[in-house]
Amino acid sequence: MNDEKLELKFVLEIIKSRYGSWESPNFDFVSTSLSHSPYATIVAELSSRYQVEEEMDVNDDVSFGYLISDFSSRWFLQISMLAPWALLMRIYDNGLSVVELNEELSSTESNITDILQRSNIKLLGKSLLSLPVPLHLHNTDPGSVRIYQAVFSDTEVLPWAREA
């Protein structure tokens, strides 16, 4: 089995174990995560370098969300409550794009990804996050749920696929 299939198998196992069931998921881990502020050190380090604003919807998100700005650009960072996984997206006037580790990064993106890696948080890529998962959520139709919705936010449309 190649690395990508092993990673998918591992991610699916974590999702199922955290929710307890594909058909009747349990969201108790959300309140536990919110009460512990597990990423406060990361947010403090980011805030010492950039403008950081918390941005999350407690009704739909299973991740902590942060708008990060430097002198010229903006990003949206989501850190999952399920496992030490993150998603970093560039914010443009007409939408979002996923920051992938195998591409050329700006200095700010390199700093953010270094902070995440030092904290043992794995940046997930768009191809993995776009794969289907058999989880039943409130906002996304069964059969349309992707790993992104299970790990970060139950939004009907993947954020990088939204029309501006």
Side-chain angles (χ1 to χ4, degrees):
M1 198 178 285
N2 65 29
D3 287 345
E4 192 173 291
K5 286 184 180 177
L6 284 173
E7 182 179 35
L8 174 60
K9 183 178 183 212
F10 175 71
V11 168
L12 291 174
E13 286 173 0
I14 296 293
I15 292 170
K16 177 134 191 246
S17 72
R18 295 293 278 168
Y19 284 103
S21 165
W22 294 121
E23 296 80 21
S24 299
N26 181 328
F27 292 85
D28 288 347
F29 65 91
V30 173
S31 58
T32 302
S33 293
L34 288 170
S35 68
H36 288 95
S37 301
Y39 303 117
T41 304
I42 294 168
V43 173
E45 186 171 355
L46 288 169
S47 296
S48 72
R49 298 176 185 205
Y50 311 106
Q51 181 180 343
V52 178
E53 299 172 44
E54 187 172 338
E55 176 75 30
M56 66 180 291
D57 181 340
V58 294
N59 295 310
D60 298 332
D61 294 349
V62 291
S63 63
F64 296 92
Y66 307 99
L67 290 171
I68 301 171
S69 304
D70 67 8
F71 59 92
S72 64
S73 301
R74 296 178 348 148
W75 295 265
F76 185 52
L77 173 65
Q78 291 178 286
I79 306 175
S80 182
M81 295 178 188
L82 277 80
W85 298 330
L87 171 64
L88 182 62
M89 294 178 281
R90 293 177 194 95
I91 301 174
Y92 297 108
D93 290 339
N94 61 350
L96 301 167
S97 69
V98 176
V99 173
E100 304 274 0
L101 288 178
N102 61 353
E103 65 188 13
E104 189 172 332
L105 304 178
S106 71
S107 61
T108 299
E109 292 166 352
S110 291
N111 287 333
I112 294 168
T113 58
D114 287 347
I115 290 167
L116 294 171
Q117 289 174 340
R118 283 196 316 271
S119 299
N120 295 313
I121 296 175
K122 181 175 176 49
L123 202 63
L124 301 182
K126 182 167 67 171
S127 62
L128 176 70
L129 293 171
S130 299
L131 296 173
V133 62
L135 187 64
H136 290 240
L137 296 173
H138 301 289
N139 298 330
T140 307
D141 291 332
S144 296
V145 177
R146 300 292 181 248
I147 289 175
Y148 171 81
Q149 283 115 341
V151 171
F152 294 110
S153 183
D154 182 13
T155 59
E156 185 69 32
V157 179
L158 298 174
W160 56 87
R162 289 191 182 124
E163 302 269 334

